Amino acid sequence: MPGSELMSIGVFARRSGLTSSALRFYADSGLLSPADVDPVTGYRYYAANQLERATTLRRLREISMPLATVEAVLAAGVDEAARLLDAHVARIEADAAAVRRKAAVIKSALGGDVPGLLIATLKGPVLASAVEQVLTATTYEPGMAVLAAVHVEASDEAVVLTATDRYRLSTRTLVPARPAEQTWAGTVDGNDLRTAASEVRRSPLVRIEVVPHGIRLRMPERNDRHCRTLPEDFPDHRSMWESLDDVTTRVTVSKDRLLRVLEEHPDEHVVLHVTDRHVNVLAPNDAHPAIALPADVTGEARRIRFEMTTLHPAVSTAIGPDVMLDLRRNDQPTTIRSADRGDLTTLAMPVTRDHPTRERRRGTS
């Protein structure tokens, strides 16, 4: 009879989160053999030190990992197991992207061979760069698909791409290579645009056409790419722009120097102390020595605090050697753009001294 330190298959199943039938299957597969089997009754017993392996096995199967890969992960060291996990996730993402593309083609075909409505013709490399730039202001939140999407507004004069994660808002204005047939506005799935960007970049010109449930990117000598549109309303970013206060301080500083300092900054928050000729980069509560960057400053001296995950992407995507920061009150967003090209603009929300962190803010949104 097994010793008292062993658990029956039922107890082990409850503690591991695996069913008894799954445990029998994994035993037969050689992935998780019982510690002991009663030779008379055939009852299976498991040891407490097998729980960790059982839990890991369950989690790997919950992410649809094949048995052969599960076995390799369980037998591998930490680094190799991490590599196998990354490779598995990459395969799933690639498969999902392929399924989305095929579904978009099928969905378009369901409506028959309906010609698309041309809303813009753009240079491929310019469009690809613009998509990648504004996508830095997206995020993934359950039930909020528009926060991972790009809002597209097309007219005969411009195509405007906008994205927001509620803490940043990034917008890029492009001049069409050819006039559009009519104005259009819609919200396009960010993953579809991200996947299409590599093909778009290789095409001299891209025709953007509206089709049922999406847009179609038509490229000479390349396959069309379909991107889904979302039915949800995009956040009212125009009202936000209109409600902004006047700028109190304008700062122009070297983009590369500011980025270098931000990348070496040791804290999750960063404070910009603007004086008449410098931007001093320091940690909250002056926990680390300030680093002074030469800057052109107009307006009043200011001290403003940001989350690093908000400020760094906004600065990194600015176009050109110098970045311009337009500061307002500390409870209003800062405008960040190129000092000599304003077609990419980002709004970044500062953090007030007593303001909750992003994770807490998300919980109360």
Side-chain angles (χ1 to χ4, degrees):
M1 186 74 181
S4 59
E5 70 277 6
L6 298 181
M7 291 173 273
S8 68
I9 190 171
V11 172
F12 191 77
R14 288 192 295 272
R15 294 187 60 181
S16 65
L18 292 166
T19 64
S20 297
S21 59
L23 286 170
R24 294 187 184 95
F25 173 77
Y26 294 136
D28 294 341
S29 302
L31 289 174
L32 185 62
S33 300
D36 191 29
V37 179
D38 190 300
V40 178
T41 64
Y43 289 165
R44 306 178 189 212
Y45 296 89
Y46 293 81
N49 61 10
Q50 292 181 286
L51 279 171
E52 182 178 354
R53 183 181 179 89
T55 301
T56 303
L57 173 55
R58 171 176 57 80
R59 290 171 174 168
L60 293 173
R61 293 295 283 168
E62 285 173 350
I63 61 172
S64 303
M65 181 173 283
L67 285 177
T69 311
V70 169
E71 184 175 14
V73 170
L74 292 174
V78 174
D79 291 343
E80 176 63 9
R83 187 195 67 78
L84 290 169
L85 275 164
D86 289 342
H88 174 69
V89 171
R91 281 192 295 271
I92 290 177
E93 291 175 341
D95 290 345
V99 169
R100 282 196 298 269
R101 291 194 297 269
K102 291 175 182 178
V105 173
I106 294 169
K107 191 181 292 184
S108 178
L110 291 175
D113 190 17
V114 180
L117 172 67
L118 177 66
I119 59 168
T121 302
L122 297 167
K123 296 178 181 178
V126 175
L127 175 58
S129 294
V131 165
E132 291 169 349
Q133 287 163 342
V134 299
L135 281 174
T136 62
T138 59
T139 190
Y140 294 93
E141 287 195 24
M144 294 288 289
V146 294
L147 298 184
V150 175
H151 191 64
V152 180
E153 299 168 278
S155 67
D156 57 353
E157 296 181 350
V159 176
V160 182
L161 309 180
T162 304
T164 182
D165 64 358
R166 295 183 297 180
Y167 308 102
R168 287 171 296 153
L169 184 146
S170 186
T171 182
R172 177 82 189 269
T173 302
L174 306 175
V175 178
R178 297 172 188 168
E181 294 179 1
Q182 72 175 59
T183 61
W184 181 84
T187 304
V188 183
D189 182 86
N191 273 333
D192 290 355
L193 286 171
R194 184 180 286 106
T195 302
S198 60
E199 284 291 312
V200 168
R201 190 182 302 281
R202 295 181 177 91
S203 181
L205 287 177
V206 178
R207 288 169 52 94
I208 305 178
E209 300 177 354
V210 177
V211 295
H213 313 293
I215 62 171
R216 178 168 58 209
L217 306 178
R218 307 204 76 165
M219 296 166 279
E221 300 180 2
R222 293 185 180 275
N223 293 330
D224 296 347
R225 301 302 295 264
H226 295 258
C227 302
R228 296 165 293 165
T229 49
L230 306 182
E232 296 89 350
D233 291 334
F234 194 76
D236 187 3
H237 58 291
R238 290 193 177 277
S239 294
M240 184 193 64
W241 279 105
E242 294 168 358
S243 66
L244 292 177
D245 285 352
D246 292 337
V247 173
T248 62
T249 306
R250 172 166 289 174
V251 181
T252 303
V253 64
S254 165
K255 172 186 169 180
D256 287 343
R257 287 187 179 182
L258 180 55
L259 272 180
R260 192 177 307 118
V261 172
L262 293 178
E263 288 165 359
E264 295 173 356
H265 188 72
D267 201 276
E268 63 181 16
H269 291 87
V270 60
V271 175
L272 303 183
H273 182 203
V274 180
T275 61
D276 57 348
R277 294 183 181 179
H278 292 88
V279 175
N280 299 286
V281 182
L282 58 154
N285 304 318
D286 299 330
H288 304 281
I291 299 177
L293 299 176
D296 292 330
V297 180
T298 57
E300 61 189 54
R302 292 290 308 279
R303 187 181 177 101
I304 189 167
R305 175 176 174 176
F306 294 93
E307 290 185 8
M308 184 64 70
T309 53
T310 298
L311 182 61
H312 184 276
V315 173
S316 66
T317 54
I319 303 170
D322 298 311
V323 63
M324 180 182 292
L325 288 74
D326 284 343
L327 310 181
R328 301 176 178 85
R329 297 195 324 254
N330 282 15
D331 61 350
Q332 287 213 334
T334 291
T335 304
I336 301 171
R337 63 180 185 271
S338 166
D340 54 3
R341 288 185 59 187
D343 58 351
L344 174 65
T345 302
T346 300
L347 295 182
M349 278 300 299
V351 180
T352 57
R353 188 175 298 275
D354 57 350
H355 205 288
T357 63
R358 176 176 298 200
E359 291 303 317
R360 288 175 60 193
R361 277 184 281 167
R362 284 180 175 168
T364 58
S365 299

